[in-house]
Amino acid sequence: MQVTCPVCGLPVDVPDDALSGEVIEHDCGTVLEVVRDEEGVRLRPLDDIKEDWGE
Amino acid sequence: MLRIGVAYDILRWEERAIADALRRNGAEPQLIHLRNTFIELGRGEWPELVLQRSISHSVASESASALESAGVTVVNGSLPILLSNDKLLTASILSRAGVPTPRTVAAFTPEDTLKAADTIGYPVVLKPVNGSWGRMVAKARDEEELRALLDHRLYVPGINSQVFLIQEYIEKPGRDIRVFVIGEDVPAAIYRVSDHWITNTARGGRAEAAEVDEELRELAIRVAEAMGADILGIDVFEDPRRGYVVNEVNAVPEFKNTVRATGHPIHERIAEYAVELARR
Ligand SMILES: Nc1ncnc2c1ncn2[C@@H]1O[C@H](COP(=O)(O)OP(=O)(O)O)[C@@H](O)[C@H]1O
Ligand SMILES: [Mg+2]
Ligand SMILES: [Zn+2]
């Protein structure tokens, strides 16, 4: 499926079975987060998640 | 069918691996994307058991606590997550439980931090109480260096500038250990090997399989008990004089590198443990 990149406006290929919370890097350099809800699939720029539990 | 929740903010390899392993163990994973939901306290239709996998420390503890209000068992629970989010709280819990840790001091002004460093002896390590991936962890060889670090810290946003944690520097052998506890089981450990004294894999440390000897196993179990946690990644230093000392504890551990280096499927263990807990 194709979803519009909220940053550059170009289409992004999103796998049909993409899950909410998956991360996709778009060609324009933006890191996007898949959000799936009743209305379908959206993309939003991934905010910096500041805390983590790194190895 | 038994439903087990997997709560997360970003879906990484780890969360997919856990979801697949749950299916293999006869449970139906319910993926809970925390950045795409809300939790009303005391209500709601949630699975009885939820595995907490949120990368964000605050989202992890707050969402665990919100789910707990609705009667959900969250693994790990909100309290162990809160404790492990804070290196001083963790060190103090471990110290009280008699678990060996690097000598650690809490101070609340830069001046007192300088005095404390004289007491511990240089080099000392200064670190934020709530960091990870080795960020802002710094070593000072003398008072001048510590002063410079303390000055610099005042200008770094997001760092608590009222609480200072310093530690003795442990002369570890070019590596530290990350050991996993899952329930009563201590399935795997890795060395994080690095030329730099900061060994985080996010900072270039290499993961290599490590053996879990009896002493390490017992230590890991004691840490999990002290923290009240079910699943932990525990960071351990080998002190040339004292042996194992526990540096810190991760309540939502990453394990991709551990699986790769040891061949041990941590996600299977987590899924088995969750199914066993849910059926209890
Ligand atoms: N007291 C210490 N002595 C020697 N090395 C240390 C000490 N504290 C931290 N380190 C090194 O720095 C790394 C990062 O510090 P740590 O306290 O684990 O913070 P983080 O949460 O950012 O991983 C550790 O994995 C270890 O390699
Ligand atoms: Mg660490
Ligand atoms: Zn784009």
Side-chain angles (χ1 to χ4, degrees), chain A residues 54-55, chain B residues 87 127 131-134 137 176 178 192 199-200 235 237 247-250:
Chain A
E55 267 179 321
Chain B
K87 294 185 203 298
K127 50 176 98 165
S132 38
W133 281 352
V137 173
D176 60 12
R178 160 66 64 92
R192 295 182 304 186
T199 53
N200 299 64
D235 292 352
F237 298 154
N247 174 45
E248 67 160 345
V249 157
N250 300 267

Coordinates of all heavy atoms in Angstrom, one line a residue, chain A residues 54-55, chain B residues 87 127 131-134 137 176 178 192 199-200 235 237 247-250, ligand 2:
Chain A
G54 N 19.3 0.3 26.4 CA 20.3 -0.3 25.5 C 21.2 -1.4 26.1 O 21.4 -1.4 27.3
E55 N 21.6 -2.2 25.2 CA 22.5 -3.3 25.6 C 23.9 -2.9 26.0 O 24.6 -2.2 25.3 CB 22.6 -4.3 24.5 CG 21.6 -5.4 24.5 CD 21.7 -6.4 23.4 OE1 22.0 -6.0 22.3 OE2 21.5 -7.6 23.7
Chain B
K87 N 19.7 5.1 38.6 CA 20.8 4.3 39.0 C 21.1 4.4 40.5 O 21.7 3.5 41.1 CB 22.1 4.8 38.2 CG 22.0 4.5 36.7 CD 23.3 4.8 36.0 CE 23.1 5.1 34.6 NZ 22.6 3.9 33.8
K127 N 27.9 10.0 36.5 CA 26.9 9.6 35.5 C 25.5 10.2 35.9 O 25.3 10.4 37.1 CB 26.9 8.1 35.4 CG 26.8 7.3 36.6 CD 26.7 5.8 36.3 CE 28.0 5.0 36.4 NZ 27.8 3.6 36.4
G131 N 20.3 7.8 32.9 CA 20.7 7.7 31.5 C 20.7 6.3 31.0 O 20.4 5.4 31.7
S132 N 21.1 6.2 29.7 CA 21.4 4.9 29.2 C 22.2 5.0 27.9 O 22.5 6.1 27.4 CB 20.2 4.0 28.9 OG 19.1 4.8 28.5
W133 N 22.7 3.8 27.3 CA 23.5 3.8 26.1 C 24.9 4.5 26.4 O 25.5 4.9 25.5 CB 22.8 4.4 24.9 CG 21.8 3.4 24.3 CD1 21.6 2.1 24.6 CD2 20.9 3.7 23.2 NE1 20.6 1.6 23.9 CE2 20.2 2.6 23.0 CE3 20.6 4.9 22.5 CZ2 19.2 2.5 22.0 CZ3 19.7 4.8 21.5 CH2 18.9 3.6 21.3
G134 N 25.2 4.6 27.6 CA 26.5 5.2 28.0 C 26.6 6.7 27.8 O 27.7 7.3 27.9
V137 N 28.0 9.5 30.6 CA 28.8 8.8 31.6 C 30.3 9.2 31.4 O 30.8 9.2 30.2 CB 28.7 7.2 31.4 CG1 29.7 6.5 32.3 CG2 27.3 6.8 31.7
D176 N 32.6 -5.8 30.1 CA 31.7 -6.1 31.2 C 30.7 -7.2 30.8 O 30.8 -7.7 29.7 CB 31.1 -4.9 31.8 CG 30.2 -4.1 30.9 OD1 29.9 -4.6 29.8 OD2 29.8 -3.0 31.2
R178 N 26.7 -8.7 30.6 CA 25.3 -8.5 30.7 C 24.7 -9.9 30.9 O 24.8 -10.8 30.0 CB 24.8 -7.9 29.4 CG 23.3 -8.0 29.1 CD 22.3 -7.3 30.0 NE 22.5 -5.8 30.1 CZ 21.8 -5.0 29.3 NH1 20.9 -5.5 28.4 NH2 21.9 -3.7 29.4
R192 N 30.5 -7.7 26.9 CA 30.6 -6.6 26.0 C 32.0 -6.1 26.0 O 32.5 -5.6 27.0 CB 29.6 -5.5 26.4 CG 28.1 -6.0 26.3 CD 27.2 -4.9 26.7 NE 27.4 -4.4 28.0 CZ 26.6 -3.5 28.6 NH1 25.5 -3.1 28.0 NH2 26.9 -3.1 29.8
T199 N 31.5 0.3 27.5 CA 31.4 -0.9 26.7 C 30.1 -1.1 26.1 O 29.9 -2.1 25.4 CB 31.7 -2.1 27.6 OG1 30.8 -2.0 28.7 CG2 33.1 -2.1 28.1
N200 N 29.1 -0.1 26.2 CA 27.8 -0.4 25.6 C 27.9 -0.7 24.2 O 28.7 -0.2 23.4 CB 27.0 0.9 25.7 CG 26.8 1.4 27.2 OD1 27.7 1.7 27.8 ND2 25.5 1.4 27.6
D235 N 23.9 -5.7 34.5 CA 25.2 -5.3 34.0 C 26.2 -5.5 35.2 O 26.0 -4.9 36.3 CB 25.3 -3.9 33.5 CG 24.5 -3.7 32.2 OD1 24.1 -4.8 31.7 OD2 24.4 -2.6 31.8
F237 N 30.3 -5.9 36.5 CA 31.8 -5.7 36.2 C 32.6 -6.8 37.0 O 32.1 -7.3 38.0 CB 32.3 -4.4 36.8 CG 31.6 -3.2 36.2 CD1 31.5 -2.0 37.0 CD2 31.1 -3.2 34.9 CE1 31.0 -0.8 36.4 CE2 30.5 -2.0 34.4 CZ 30.5 -0.9 35.2
N247 N 26.7 -3.3 38.3 CA 26.7 -1.9 37.9 C 25.2 -1.3 37.8 O 24.9 -0.4 38.4 CB 27.4 -1.7 36.6 CG 27.3 -0.3 36.1 OD1 27.4 0.7 36.9 ND2 27.0 -0.1 34.8
E248 N 24.4 -2.0 37.0 CA 23.1 -1.5 36.8 C 22.2 -2.6 36.3 O 22.6 -3.7 36.0 CB 23.0 -0.3 35.9 CG 23.4 -0.6 34.5 CD 22.9 0.5 33.5 OE1 22.0 1.3 33.9 OE2 23.3 0.5 32.4
V249 N 20.9 -2.2 36.3 CA 19.9 -3.2 36.0 C 18.9 -2.6 34.9 O 18.6 -1.5 35.0 CB 19.1 -3.5 37.3 CG1 17.8 -4.0 37.1 CG2 20.0 -4.4 38.2
N250 N 18.6 -3.4 34.0 CA 17.7 -3.0 32.9 C 16.4 -3.8 33.0 O 16.4 -5.0 32.8 CB 18.3 -3.2 31.5 CG 19.6 -2.4 31.4 OD1 19.6 -1.3 31.0 ND2 20.7 -3.0 31.9
Ligands
MG2 MG 24.7 0.3 31.2

